[in-house]
Amino acid sequence: MAAQKDLYDAIVIGAGIQGCFTAYHLAKHRKRVLLLEQFFLPHSRGSSHGQSRIIRKAYLQDFYTRMMHECYQIWAQLEHEAGTQLHRQTGLLLLGMKENQELKTIQAILSREGVEHQCLSSEELKQHFPDIRLTRGEVGLLDKFGGVLYADKALRALQDVVGQLGGVVCDGEKVVEINPGLPVTVKTTSRSYRAKSLVITAGPWTNQLLRPLGIELPLQTLRINVCYWRQMVPRSYGVSQAFPCFLTLGLSSHHIYGLPAGEYPELMKVSYHHGNHADPEERDCPTAPAESQDIEILKRFVRDYLPDLKPEPAIIEHCMYTNTPDEHFILDHHPKYDNIVIGAGFSGHGFKLAPVVGKILYELSMKLTPSYDLAPFRISRFPSLGKAHL
């Protein structure tokens, strides 16, 4: 355990996937890094738990597609370092109507960025994926690089590698006070630590840490239902049948996504990319009526499009999203304290991008030139914040 007076190069608050990859890049560059986590590891209170996440290059914004090129490389590097498989390529099927503008935009970006993909007509969709029932003549766009990340496994592997690289991981230590300055002092429920820089990747708890530092970001915490549906015909929607991950565009108010059966025997994950406001301290409270409406939307989708699933969820789990108004990340320095860096607002699509997000947060914390254009991720894009109260 670190002595109280030790000076770290960086302290990272929050040992979810973003904080862990930040610590990984710091440790890789031989920086003295301390990773703090308020809960005992592993835990299921934030946004990084669960067995699986979708990985893809198909995005509505070309800057994410470009970031994903390097993300795939770093995920493969982590697999090599950990000596375990963390990813399975299944393809990602985007499903929508031919005239859907999002579908057209993504197809144009994939073409421009040289990402291997395939456009599928309704007839070709039926031939390739006969277990999907098309109700309105939908078409498909297949991102060949899409697949499944083994999330829990990846997080554990990353925490182990951070330790092997010399990083210090302290769990069960909630941060109770941050004193800005050079160095910055972080007081936890156990002791105080000092560092040249601080990175905050605290998910739904971000604003609790930032308010005493004079800033509140426009973040909304949502509780998401993660639903699993039983196959009536064994292996219909399994990886062994080459069934892909999928994401709908324009078929409901928010995206519906699915991953092939694998986490639980004969159960397929199909969920709604939206949720309802929730306090992260009360995420296990009983289901609200609005959440039941989300599940009804999923039931209708499963009944209409996936006829070999029972249209009633067999398991419902929960996770937290921390959304920004535009659903793009916040990766920036604190407006007043330039040795405090903030990574927040990952809006339910940050896990796959964490290898590059962690690299960017490492670069910001070390005052290095960022590897990517950070204009989409600046705090200043929210003009209503202002700086009068800083």
Side-chain angles (χ1 to χ4, degrees), residues 31-185:
K31 304 299 179 184
R32 295 197 67 230
V33 57
L34 170 66
L35 181 59
L36 292 174
E37 171 54 51
Q38 64 174 319
F39 302 112
F40 288 102
L41 297 170
H43 70 83
S44 60
R45 298 291 300 277
S47 304
S48 295
H49 65 282
Q51 295 183 55
S52 64
R53 295 290 189 283
I54 291 175
I55 186 169
R56 57 188 165 104
K57 292 189 175 183
Y59 254 102
L60 263 172
Q61 296 81 18
D62 54 7
F63 51 85
Y64 288 126
T65 300
R66 286 196 283 271
M67 290 165 77
M68 282 307 305
H69 295 319
E70 186 176 7
C71 285
Y72 274 89
Q73 295 169 10
I74 299 174
W75 279 118
Q77 183 180 322
L78 179 63
E79 276 190 321
H80 177 73
E81 290 167 348
T84 186
Q85 184 183 2
L86 304 176
H87 161 248
R88 182 161 188 164
Q89 191 169 338
T90 63
L92 170 78
L93 177 66
L94 299 169
L95 199 61
M97 304 305 294
K98 189 175 182 179
E99 62 274 14
N100 182 274
Q101 193 54 51
E102 290 184 325
L103 206 57
K104 292 178 181 178
T105 300
I106 293 170
Q107 199 273 326
I109 290 172
L110 293 180
S111 295
R112 195 163 63 239
E113 295 295 326
V115 178
E116 190 180 351
H117 64 283
Q118 184 180 3
C119 297
L120 298 170
S121 67
S122 291
E123 285 306 313
E124 289 168 327
L125 261 180
K126 290 173 188 172
Q127 291 168 14
H128 281 75
F129 307 111
D131 294 310
I132 299 176
R133 182 163 58 203
L134 305 179
T135 64
R136 294 186 280 158
E138 295 84 350
V139 298
L141 176 62
L142 188 64
D143 171 0
K144 299 286 187 74
F145 284 94
V148 178
L149 284 169
Y150 301 134
D152 277 347
K153 206 172 162 189
L155 194 57
R156 284 195 302 272
L158 192 53
Q159 288 160 355
D160 288 345
V161 170
V162 166
Q164 291 162 17
L165 290 169
V168 178
V169 182
C170 291
D171 61 350
E173 287 199 36
K174 183 173 182 173
V175 172
V176 294
E177 189 178 345
I178 297 168
N179 291 311
L182 283 172
V184 60
T185 302

Side-chain angles (χ1 to χ4, degrees), residues 217-277:
L217 299 176
L219 300 175
Q220 184 182 33
T221 56
L222 302 176
R223 186 172 87 151
I224 308 298
N225 293 310
V226 182
C227 300
Y228 297 84
W229 312 74
R230 189 168 301 284
Q231 297 179 103
M232 292 189 285
V233 180
R235 294 184 295 280
S236 306
Y237 301 106
V239 172
S240 61
Q241 298 301 109
F243 196 80
C245 299
F246 72 81
L247 182 68
T248 69
L249 300 173
L251 301 182
S252 55
S253 299
H254 299 275
H255 300 314
I256 293 172
Y257 66 91
L259 291 84
E263 295 180 45
Y264 297 109
E266 299 301 333
L267 297 184
M268 182 183 184
K269 183 195 282 190
V270 181
S271 294
Y272 198 45
H273 187 62
H274 187 63
N276 297 279
H277 179 73

Side-chain angles (χ1 to χ4, degrees), residues 300-328:
R300 286 196 298 273
F301 177 84
V302 167
R303 187 181 63 240
D304 293 345
Y305 287 88
L306 303 169
D308 291 339
L309 294 180
K310 289 184 178 176
E312 187 73 39
I315 296 175
I316 301 175
E317 298 176 342
H318 299 107
C319 82
M320 300 296 292
Y321 283 5
T322 307
N323 284 23
T324 60
D326 58 11
E327 296 191 3
H328 300 318

